[in-house]
Amino acid sequence: MKKLMLRLLFTVLGVCFLTAQALPCTTFMLDNNGSPLVGKNFDWHEGEGLVMVNKRNVEKTGII
């Protein structure tokens, strides 16, 4: 039983230390006189940027 528990412990620790690093990003929303302003920042170097402007009264649907 002890050998099984040690083997399980080393397996769990090995998986924890061998996983890939997660890179965070920052997302925020501001109230701009009743119109929401949403921004997202990748906290790592990403090359070129992109600015998108959504016109008023336009409906969009996201599909995963």
Side-chain angles (χ1 to χ4, degrees):
M1 184 69 175
K2 269 188 169 182
K3 285 185 180 183
L4 178 64
M5 292 301 287
L6 280 174
R7 197 176 291 174
L8 181 62
L9 176 68
F10 285 125
T11 302
V12 169
L13 288 175
V15 168
C16 289
F17 288 115
L18 295 176
T19 56
Q21 178 184 6
L23 298 173
C25 62
T26 304
T27 305
F28 62 90
M29 185 174 92
L30 302 173
D31 183 15
N32 186 18
N33 295 327
S35 298
L37 176 65
V38 179
K40 182 174 184 175
N41 177 32
F42 295 109
D43 293 336
W44 63 90
H45 181 16
E46 190 58 36
E48 305 216 1
L50 174 65
V51 175
M52 297 179 69
V53 177
N54 292 322
K55 305 285 184 193
R56 286 182 192 241
N57 302 322
V58 174
E59 257 184 61
K60 295 184 178 183
T61 303
I63 298 175
I64 297 177

